[in-house]
């Protein structure tokens, strides 16, 4: 059974300082190592790109923020699914595409852990896919709580992984995937 690699929202918009502090500074480096391995093995790679029709959005279609980060540009033959909400499955043909390729196993990484990554992982799990979520190739940003409390990016990241683990995904690390 073939595994597909799904790369979520590695886009210029996430470099904007308005997001605040982020964890996993090596997430992109780890993601590039996974892309290199998948490309060398000729395994399916699927790119997800967050797209907004709102001109004020950092992800506005055609803006600099909408662009993929350097090193994450899709190669010829690697499909791109543009999404307008958090889940890569809503409003796209991703599920049908995976079905046509008879893919049942997904390896997922990208940005951000509590938003588009989590939502896509949850839906993939609900659709019956076996999901491996790459902890060190995924990242989160700090958040402020409802009562003004501060949650670090690492707290947000680890909490979301704990919620996803063993219910929606198996949490894995880049090194173990590179050894397979």
């Amino acid at each position: 059974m073939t595994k597909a690699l799904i790369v979520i929202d590695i886009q210029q918009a996430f470099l904007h300082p308005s997001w605040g502090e982020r964890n996993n500074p090596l997430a992109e480096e780890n993601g590039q190592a996974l892309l290199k391995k998948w490309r060398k093995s000729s395994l399916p790679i699927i790119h997800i790109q967050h797209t907004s029709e709102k001109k004020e959005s950092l992800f506005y279609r055609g803006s600099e923020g909408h662009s993929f980060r350097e090193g994450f540009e899709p190669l010829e033959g690697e499909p791109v699914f543009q999404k307008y909400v958090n889940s890569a499955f809503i409003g796209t043909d991703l599920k049908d595409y995976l079905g046509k390729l008879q893919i049942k196993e997904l390896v997922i990484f990208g940005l951000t852990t509590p938003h588009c990554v989590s939502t896509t992982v949850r839906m993939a799990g609900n659709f019956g896919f076996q999901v491996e979520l790459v902890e060190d190739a995924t990242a989160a940003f700090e958040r402020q709580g409802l009562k003004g409390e501060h949650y670090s990016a690492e707290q947000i990241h680890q909490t979301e992984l704990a919620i996803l683990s063993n219910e929606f995904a198996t949490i894995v690390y880049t090194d173990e995937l590179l050894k397979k």
Side-chain angles (χ1 to χ4, degrees), residues 100-119:
K100 287 177 190 171
L101 295 180
Q102 299 182 338
I103 293 172
K104 302 285 186 202
E105 298 179 34
L106 305 174
V107 174
I108 297 177
F109 75 88
L111 299 173
T112 67
T113 314
H115 296 103
C116 299
V117 171
S118 173
T119 307

Side-chain angles (χ1 to χ4, degrees), residues 2-5 34-45 77-78 101 103:
T2 302
K3 284 185 184 183
L5 182 67
L34 292 169
L35 270 174
K36 183 177 179 181
K37 177 182 175 64
W38 247 257
R39 287 173 173 155
K40 193 174 188 177
S41 303
S42 298
L43 293 170
I45 298 169
E78 295 176 356
L101 295 180
I103 293 172

Side-chain angles (χ1 to χ4, degrees), residues 146-160:
L146 297 176
K147 297 177 183 174
E149 61 275 47
H150 177 262
Y151 296 104
S152 73
E154 187 65 15
Q155 286 174 309
I156 296 293
H157 182 71
Q158 291 301 326
T159 299
E160 191 62 38

Side-chain angles (χ1 to χ4, degrees), residues 20-59:
E21 294 296 318
R22 194 190 101 170
N23 74 325
N24 271 354
L26 298 178
E28 287 84 354
E29 184 177 316
N30 290 328
Q32 286 181 345
L34 292 169
L35 270 174
K36 183 177 179 181
K37 177 182 175 64
W38 247 257
R39 287 173 173 155
K40 193 174 188 177
S41 303
S42 298
L43 293 170
I45 298 169
I46 299 162
H47 300 268
I48 308 301
Q49 185 178 33
H50 195 82
T51 301
S52 176
E53 297 298 332
K54 296 178 182 177
K55 289 184 179 181
E56 64 275 10
S57 172
L58 294 172
F59 297 95

Side-chain angles (χ1 to χ4, degrees), residues 47-160:
H47 300 268
I48 308 301
Q49 185 178 33
H50 195 82
T51 301
S52 176
E53 297 298 332
K54 296 178 182 177
K55 289 184 179 181
E56 64 275 10
S57 172
L58 294 172
F59 297 95
Y60 179 64
R61 179 188 303 277
S63 71
E64 182 181 333
H66 186 249
S67 302
F68 289 103
R69 298 269 305 274
E70 184 178 340
F72 290 94
E73 304 90 348
L75 298 182
E76 187 175 333
E78 295 176 356
V80 176
F81 290 88
Q82 291 188 341
K83 61 180 180 54
Y84 301 90
V85 295
N86 292 334
S87 174
F89 290 99
I90 294 176
T92 72
D93 295 327
L94 178 58
K95 185 174 183 281
D96 292 338
Y97 180 81
L98 294 169
K100 287 177 190 171
L101 295 180
Q102 299 182 338
I103 293 172
K104 302 285 186 202
E105 298 179 34
L106 305 174
V107 174
I108 297 177
F109 75 88
L111 299 173
T112 67
T113 314
H115 296 103
C116 299
V117 171
S118 173
T119 307
T120 299
V121 166
R122 287 168 187 265
M123 285 196 75
N126 285 333
F127 283 138
F129 292 99
Q130 292 180 341
V131 179
E132 292 179 315
L133 176 56
V134 190
E135 189 276 345
D136 57 354
T138 304
F141 291 93
E142 65 187 346
R143 302 291 289 189
Q144 184 173 338
L146 297 176
K147 297 177 183 174
E149 61 275 47
H150 177 262
Y151 296 104
S152 73
E154 187 65 15
Q155 286 174 309
I156 296 293
H157 182 71
Q158 291 301 326
T159 299
E160 191 62 38

